Structure formats: structure tokens, C-alpha cells
């Protein structure tokens, strides 16, 4: 009885295997070594070409450039704010998908600078330079506004008055890299302010 059951199971197994093979007649370890078979992964499991990598980088750049505008708007009227003499506590950076002074965007700026260095494509480098210079050119006016209204909203509160390492670390590193890449000299006071916070105000064990 056991022998008959075993034979029946073996027959059914062979039928199933043949059926699967008919449905998916791919090479297997019988017809080729496993290491020589192309894996059926959703993401291609190959060494990418330089052109393919740059195409992805440009696609990422085009998206980020379009969703991180560097201009001011009034949050109540949604009208563009023209000139730093017209800013007030309702002035914000035009909303996009990400914030220009966040920890995460410090990492992005460094990545853009590195991509520009590797690809010799100024689009990546200028992504960081344009936004860093936008901050540097505007921060004095917003610092004066912050000193007058310290409890009100201010789009540049983080670089003006950092209160945590996330406010300062990645942005400071990215600004140093942008400064070294030939950006405006007025980045230096912001860098120094970041460094002063990191060195003397960030909580440390004795």
C-alpha cells in the first residue's frame, strides 16, 4: 500500500513538473549552470552603463528642480513677494515638495555637488549653488525680521537660530562644499553660525 502511494505521489510530482515546464520553458540547472542564468528580478540585475546612470540622475534632477522653487510668496495671498524690502511675517519660500533648509536637503545639496563633479554637468552643481545663494542673499533681511518677531514664522529660522544638530549639521557641510565650489562669499557667515552652534551649543557630555 505504501509503495503504491509513493508511486502515485511520484507520478503526480512528475506531471506537475512537466506542466510547469510547459507553462514556463526556461533554462534551469539541468540545462545550464545556475550562475549563468539571468535572474528573473523586477529590477535588472546587471552592471549599469554610465549613460544609464546619468539618465537616472538627470531624471531625479529634473524632478527635484521643479519641486523645490527658490522664490518667496505670501502665504495668505499666494502672491509672489518681489524684493526683500517687502517681506513680512507672512513671507514664506514658495511651497514645493521639500524644504530648502532641512537636514535632508543638506544631504541632497552635497549629492548634487558630487554629481556635478563626477559628470561635469553644471546642472547638478548649479542646483545647489542657486539655492544656497538664494538663502545667503536673503538671510540678513530675515534675521532682522526674526529679531523683531522671534515667535513668528520665519522661513530661515533654522540657519538663523539653529536649535538642534538636524538644523545645522548636513546644511553646514553642504554650504562648506558649495563655498569651496566657488559660490558667493556671503555663505561664510552662515557657515560660521552653524559651526558655532555645533561647537558650543549642541548638547554634549562633559
Amino acid at each position: 500500500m505504501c509503495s503504491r502511494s509513493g508511486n502515485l505521489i511520484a507520478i503526480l510530482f512528475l506531471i506537475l513538473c512537466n506542466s510547469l515546464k510547459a507553462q514556463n520553458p526556461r533554462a534551469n540547472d539541468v540545462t545550464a549552470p545556475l550562475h549563468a542564468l539571468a535572474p528573473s528580478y523586477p529590477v535588472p540585475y546587471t552592471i549599469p552603463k554610465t549613460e544609464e546612470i546619468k539618465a537616472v540622475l538627470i531624471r531625479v534632477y529634473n524632478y527635484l528642480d521643479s519641486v523645490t522653487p527658490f522664490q518667496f510668496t505670501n502665504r495668505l495671498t499666494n502672491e509672489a513677494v518681489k524684493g526683500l524690502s517687502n517681506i513680512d511675517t507672512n513671507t514664506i519660500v514658495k511651497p514645493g515638495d521639500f524644504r530648502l533648509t532641512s537636514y535632508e536637503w543638506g544631504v541632497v545639496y552635497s549629492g548634487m555637488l558630487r554629481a556635478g563633479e563626477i559628470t561635469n554637468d553644471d546642472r547638478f552643481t548649479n542646483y545647489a549653488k542657486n539655492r544656497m545663494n538664494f538663502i545667503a542673499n536673503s538671510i540678513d533681511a530675515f534675521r532682522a525680521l526674526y529679531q523683531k518677531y522671534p515667535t513668528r514664522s520665519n522661513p530661515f529660522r533654522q540657519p538663523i537660530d539653529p536649535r538642534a544638530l538636524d538644523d545645522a549639521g548636513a546644511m553646514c557641510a553642504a554650504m562648506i562644499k558649495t563655498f569651496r565650489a566657488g559660490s558667493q562669499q556671503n555663505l561664510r557667515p552662515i557657515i560660521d553660525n552653524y559651526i558655532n552652534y555645533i561647537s558650543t551649543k549642541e548638547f554634549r557630555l562633559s
Side-chain angles (χ1 to χ4, degrees):
M1 185 67 179
C2 290
S3 177
R4 289 182 180 180
S5 297
N7 289 337
L8 180 60
I9 291 172
I11 292 170
L12 289 172
F13 180 76
L14 288 172
I15 292 172
L16 178 61
C17 288
N18 288 331
S19 175
L20 289 174
K21 184 176 180 180
Q23 294 174 21
N24 190 21
R26 294 181 179 177
N28 55 37
D29 193 37
V30 174
T31 59
L34 284 178
H35 70 270
L37 301 179
S40 57
Y41 298 147
V43 177
Y45 198 75
T46 57
I47 299 175
K49 298 178 181 178
T50 301
E51 298 77 17
E52 294 172 338
I53 296 173
K54 187 171 182 181
V56 173
L57 286 173
I58 291 173
R59 191 160 67 246
V60 172
Y61 161 81
N62 287 334
Y63 164 65
L64 294 182
D65 189 51
S66 68
V67 298
T68 51
F70 49 105
Q71 61 190 88
F72 296 115
T73 187
N74 185 294
R75 62 178 169 182
L76 299 180
T77 65
N78 292 323
E79 294 179 355
V81 176
K82 297 179 180 180
L84 293 172
S85 60
N86 296 316
I87 67 171
D88 58 28
T89 56
N90 290 315
T91 302
I92 60 172
V93 176
K94 185 176 180 180
D97 288 358
F98 307 98
R99 294 177 296 121
L100 300 186
T101 59
S102 69
Y103 161 83
E104 294 84 359
W105 238 240
V107 177
V108 169
Y109 293 133
S110 291
M112 286 287 188
L113 291 167
R114 182 61 173 160
E117 180 184 350
I118 295 297
T119 63
N120 292 316
D121 190 326
D122 288 340
R123 283 176 290 186
F124 301 106
T125 306
N126 289 336
Y127 177 92
K129 283 186 176 182
N130 289 338
R131 286 158 180 80
M132 292 292 193
N133 290 337
F134 170 72
I135 296 168
N137 291 334
S138 310
I139 198 165
D140 285 345
F142 282 94
R143 183 181 291 108
L145 197 65
Y146 183 73
Q147 290 170 349
K148 190 174 182 180
Y149 303 105
T151 61
R152 302 292 292 275
S153 174
N154 190 303
F156 295 143
R157 195 279 301 164
Q158 286 173 296
I160 292 170
D161 182 23
R163 300 172 185 171
L165 193 57
D166 279 358
D167 286 345
M171 280 297 296
C172 183
M175 281 196 175
I176 291 171
K177 292 174 183 177
T178 308
F179 183 77
R180 289 177 173 175
S183 193
Q184 295 179 197
Q185 295 294 312
N186 55 358
L187 276 178
R188 185 57 191 261
I190 309 175
I191 293 170
D192 290 341
N193 188 49
Y194 277 139
I195 290 176
N196 179 60
Y197 172 79
I198 294 168
S199 301
T200 68
K201 298 179 181 179
E202 170 65 15
F203 175 77
R204 298 175 183 276
L205 297 175
S206 58

